[in-house]
């Protein structure tokens, strides 16, 4: 190797040539004793020259390394990696940057190192020499190992957290709906995040032989706090309804419990529709009484086509005020009628700058599918909401209750769940 | 799914020539065939592709379970053959893709005229009476090496690998990254590659077969090449005076000649 320290010096004076001599010496010294290893090798990887630093690091005499394959200095595993990745990259791209390997010394000790290399080519572009630099990387590798371990631990933790959230989520909605004879029930549930428990909930449960309670709502917040609140809301609603099944009384009961449980500057509240179904004794159809506490109005899709919102305007949030107002509505569902309850994840799904229901799309959607059945409505809803993809940013729950046109369809049930972590039909 | 997008299929060369289907091995992608393609394209119609999980294959096609078996990759090969309506095609597989070819040919021999196995190994691990060249510890070490070298991947390489059409400046980096793959996928492919045992599949090959090996290849040593030749009836072997596992890069001329001579 010929090394020139400088080429722009004027013709030598005595002092300059002495400086030149020192400079040349410095360059030779820099090559041999640089704080990194230098290796030259043929394109096949046969070592042709190494510097003193490299030989010393591995405990070889420099001449003993000449003629060896560079890959012989790698671990077996590293050699496979080199042959399958690094050699092709070097030959195709002419360089390698910051590759991590273990170099094996004469005594078998492994030295973590970074390798940087490039290729000298002849006039035709054919590779003629590999120039390789190796740098000690023990500390860096230890640090990187810690990073890797931390990442792996973090991934494990995340998986655990997701599993917890999913399990908790499952405990907050019924695994399947069991409607009484003469009623059909279906639900759709989409959790926006696998990491956090959503605040949407619903249920359908017997009160007496002829009376069934149902509710659907949305608690404020997300995560563990929301899960605890949802749990409290669910059990309060179910217990309160057993005591007094008037929907407004049930919501007042829930309001009192939330007021007692959460106060000061940390109010906890929810919006919810609570209703009671009274099965028609032999006459078919069901009588419904439902009350809303600040929740978007339910829809009634009648068996002969028309669709309407069930007016519960004026109902206030549950859990905020000491004496809130709740609005009750009573109606009869005949054969073929379907009742739909939903949370605002649906109506507020983003479509560009607008929300899904900014211009009445929800009622149009319902009208398009009416008359329908609880199952068909949920299937159509699922198709629609799945089509939203990432636009469905919030948790969404939809509950449909229907009186079958044909008595044979009665008592059917299904829960369709969307969203990551809660896939699959659970009924 | 469209196989062109799924496997980043490219067809080059002489449209009237006999068809060659070139399959890359574990490590990089179809770019590895570049020097050989230059030499073969005047005479052959050449089909190139990236295995799912490698190169510019469709990231959404990835399925860790499907690609934990070489049969998953072989099914993709058959999909490509069917989709492009290839008949009498010569399959050329490098390294692990040689065994992927063995599986594909065994499953549907009527589509393939010939099989060329470039530096093949039916089993990398040593076994009773068989020397693949590696122990389980060696393979674990290699997986570890893969992991160490992918440390910076997720941050720096993810946008490039995932393809970001709105950031064309990243395209240049891609040329520097063809050997870099999503580490999770690379680890699956590595395990599939180095822990598979396809020795018993060799006897299922019923088309004329050529083994091309290198004189000095630590991954597929000559006794392994010889094992493959002995276990595929009627196969022949060519030993290139080359070093390393990638003769299509280190000895492209001789590799292309051997492929052309056997394929015509």
């Amino acid at each position: 190797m010929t090394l020139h320290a400088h080429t722009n010096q004027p013709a030598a004076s005595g002092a300059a040539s002495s400086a030149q001599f020192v400079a040349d010496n410095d360059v030779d010294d820099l090559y041999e004793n640089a704080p990194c290893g230098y290796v030259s090798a043929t394109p096949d990887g046969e070592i042709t020259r190494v510097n003193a630093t490299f030989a010393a690091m591995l405990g070889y005499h420099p001449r003993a390394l000449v003629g060896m394959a560079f890959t012989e200095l790698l671990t077996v595993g590293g050699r496979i990696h080199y042959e399958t990745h690094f050699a092709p990259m070097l030959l195709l791209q002419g360089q390698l940057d910051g590759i991590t390997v273990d170099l094996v010394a004469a005594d078998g000790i492994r030295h973590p190192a970074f390798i940087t290399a490039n290729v000298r080519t002849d006039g035709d572009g054919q590779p003629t020499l590999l120039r390789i630099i190796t740098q000690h990387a023990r500390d860096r590798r230890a640090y990187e190992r810690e990073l890797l371990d931390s990442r792996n631990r973090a991934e494990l933790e995340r998986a655990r957290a997701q599993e917890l959230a999913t399990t908790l989520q499952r405990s907050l909605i019924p695994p399947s709906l069991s409607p009484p004879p003469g009623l059909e029930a279906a639900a759709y549930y989409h959790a926006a995040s696998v990491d956090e428990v959503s605040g949407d909930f619903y249920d359908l449960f017997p009160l007496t032989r002829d009376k069934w309670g149902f509710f659907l709502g949305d608690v404020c917040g997300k995560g563990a706090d929301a899960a605890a609140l949802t749990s409290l809301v669910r059990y309060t609603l179910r217990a309160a309804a057993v005591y007094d099944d008037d929907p407004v009384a049930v919501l007042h009961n829930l309001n009192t419990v939330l007021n007692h449980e959460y106060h000061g500057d940390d109010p906890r509240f929810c919006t919810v529709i609570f209703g009671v179904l009274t099965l028609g004794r032999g006459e078919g159809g069901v009588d419904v009484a439902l009350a809303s506490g600040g929740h978007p109005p339910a829809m009634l899709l009648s068996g002969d086509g028309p669709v309407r919102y069930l007016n519960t305007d004026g109902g206030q949030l549950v859990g905020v005020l000491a004496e809130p107002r709740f609005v009750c509505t009573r109606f009869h569902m005949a054969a073929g009628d379907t009742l739909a309850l939903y949370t605002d994840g649906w109506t507020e799904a983003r479509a560009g700058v607008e929300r899904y229901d900014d211009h009445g799309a929800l009622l149009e959607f319902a009208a398009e599918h009416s008359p329908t059945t609880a199952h068909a409505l949920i299937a159509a809803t699922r198709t629609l909401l799945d089509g939203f993809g990432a636009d469905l940013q919030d948790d969404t729950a939809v509950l449909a209750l229907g009186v079958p046109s044909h008595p044979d369809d009665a008592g059917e049930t299904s829960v369709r769940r969307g969203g990551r972590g809660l896939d699959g039909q659970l009924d | 799914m469209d196989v062109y997008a799924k496997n980043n299929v490219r067809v080059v060369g002489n449209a009237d020539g006999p068809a060659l289907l070139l399959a890359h091995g574990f490590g990089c992608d179809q770019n590895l065939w570049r020097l050989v393609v230059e030499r073969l394209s005047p005479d052959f119609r050449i089909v190139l592709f990236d295995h799912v999980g490698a190169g510019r294959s469709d990231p959404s096609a990835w399925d860790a379970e499907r690609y934990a078996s070489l049969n998953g990759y072989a099914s993709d090969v058959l999909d490509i053959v069917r989709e492009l309506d290839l008949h009498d095609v010569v399959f050329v597989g490098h390294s692990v893709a040689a065994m992927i070819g063995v599986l594909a040919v065994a499953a549907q021999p009527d589509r393939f005229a010939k099989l060329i196995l470039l530096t093949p190994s039916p089993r990398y691990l040593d076994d009773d009476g068989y020397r693949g060249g590696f122990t389980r510890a060696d393979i674990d070490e290699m997986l570890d090496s893969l992991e160490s070298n992918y440390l910076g991947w997720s941050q720096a390489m993810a946008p490039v690998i995932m393809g970001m059409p709105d950031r064309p400046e990243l395209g240049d980096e891609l040329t520097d990254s063809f050997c870099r793959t999503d580490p999770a996928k690379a680890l699956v492919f590595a395990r599939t590659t180095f822990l598979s045992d396809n020795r018993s599949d060799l006897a299922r090959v019923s088309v004329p077969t050529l083994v091309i090996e290198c004189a000095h290849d630590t991954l597929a040593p000559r006794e392994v090449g010889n094992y493959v030749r002995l276990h595929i009836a009627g196969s022949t072997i060519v030993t290139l005076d080359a070093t390393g596992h990638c003769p299509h890069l280190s000895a492209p001329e001789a590799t292309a000649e051997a492929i052309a001579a056997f394929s015509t």
Side-chain angles (χ1 to χ4, degrees), chain B residues 48-252:
Chain B
L48 294 153
F49 70 98
D50 295 334
H51 295 297
V52 170
R56 294 203 200 191
S57 62
D58 184 348
S60 72
W62 177 253
D63 175 343
E65 216 169 294
R66 173 179 171 91
Y67 296 107
S69 151
L70 291 186
N71 285 314
Y73 298 94
S75 300
D76 285 355
V77 167
L78 292 175
D79 286 347
I80 292 169
V81 166
R82 275 191 292 267
E83 197 64 33
L84 275 66
D85 199 25
L86 300 174
H87 294 272
D88 294 326
V89 63
V90 178
F91 182 96
V92 187
H94 171 232
S95 194
V96 69
M99 290 308 123
I100 292 169
V102 163
L103 294 171
V105 167
Q108 214 167 333
D110 53 312
R111 287 282 188 158
F112 298 89
K114 291 172 181 174
L115 182 59
I116 297 178
L117 310 176
L118 188 59
T119 61
S121 173
R123 179 182 162 105
Y124 288 93
L125 293 182
D126 295 336
D127 192 18
D128 277 347
Y130 173 83
R131 243 187 72 78
F134 299 95
T135 63
R136 181 63 212 237
D138 295 334
I139 301 306
D140 288 341
E141 199 171 57
M142 191 265 312
L143 297 174
D144 197 53
S145 175
L146 272 180
E147 216 177 8
S148 309
N149 278 287
Y150 284 130
L151 191 75
W153 184 88
S154 37
Q155 294 285 315
M157 300 314 297
V160 180
I161 305 288
M162 296 313 174
M164 297 195 69
D166 52 339
R167 295 190 60 191
E169 74 277 10
L170 291 174
D172 292 335
E173 283 179 41
L174 198 62
T175 53
D176 294 322
S177 63
F178 70 93
C179 285
R180 303 208 183 195
T181 321
D182 179 336
K185 297 173 187 170
L187 284 169
V188 170
F189 195 17
R191 280 196 196 94
T192 311
T193 297
F194 291 103
L195 301 178
S196 288
D197 184 353
N198 297 100
R199 287 175 296 174
S200 61
D201 295 309
L202 299 176
R204 299 167 63 207
V205 174
S206 56
V207 303
T209 300
L210 170 70
V211 177
I212 304 176
E213 62 172 4
C214 292
H216 311 283
D217 179 354
T218 51
L219 257 66
R222 293 194 59 184
E223 61 179 297
V224 170
N226 197 43
Y227 182 96
V228 175
R229 182 187 67 80
L230 285 174
H231 289 79
I232 297 182
S235 64
T236 51
I237 191 164
V238 169
T239 306
L240 304 177
D241 180 21
T243 301
H245 192 55
C246 299
H248 42 340
L249 284 179
S250 60

Side-chain angles (χ1 to χ4, degrees), chain A residues 53-215:
Chain A
T53 307
F54 185 78
M57 175 171 86
L58 298 186
Y60 284 100
H61 190 279
R63 275 199 300 276
L65 288 167
V66 172
M68 276 174 79
F70 180 69
T71 52
E72 280 179 63
L73 299 172
L74 304 177
T75 61
V76 179
R79 202 174 298 155
I80 300 173
H81 199 185
Y82 183 93
E83 296 286 5
T84 53
H85 289 71
F86 306 148
M89 280 171 90
L90 252 183
L91 288 174
L92 264 188
Q93 290 170 356
Q95 63 176 44
L96 265 187
D97 222 358
I99 295 302
T100 300
V101 297
D102 279 351
L103 294 169
V104 183
D107 58 7
I109 304 260
R110 294 166 177 215
H111 296 269
F114 287 128
I115 290 186
T116 298
N118 62 18
V119 178
R120 188 169 76 195
T121 52
D122 63 15
D124 300 331
Q126 294 300 312
T128 57
L129 188 77
L130 307 183
R131 311 181 187 102
I132 303 169
I133 294 181
T134 67
Q135 268 179 313
H136 232 297
R138 190 174 297 283
D139 292 348
R140 269 285 294 278
R141 281 284 289 285
Y143 172 63
E144 288 182 357
R145 173 49 62 186
E146 272 179 41
L147 278 181
L148 263 181
D149 290 347
S150 304
R151 194 188 66 189
N152 291 342
R153 268 200 306 277
E155 276 167 11
L156 265 179
E157 287 302 317
R158 194 179 130 87
R160 259 167 43 87
Q162 286 182 357
E163 200 188 320
L164 273 175
T166 306
T167 308
L168 193 51
Q169 188 84 71
R170 281 182 199 281
S171 76
L172 296 178
I173 52 174
S176 66
L177 293 170
S178 310
L183 196 72
E184 192 194 49
Y188 168 87
Y189 196 86
H190 169 88
S193 161
V194 289
D195 298 316
E196 289 199 293
V197 180
S198 110
D200 288 6
F201 59 91
Y202 64 84
D203 206 352
L204 171 68
F205 57 98
L207 288 167
T208 66
R209 245 190 88 207
D210 305 326
K211 280 189 177 182
W212 286 62
F214 65 93
F215 55 80

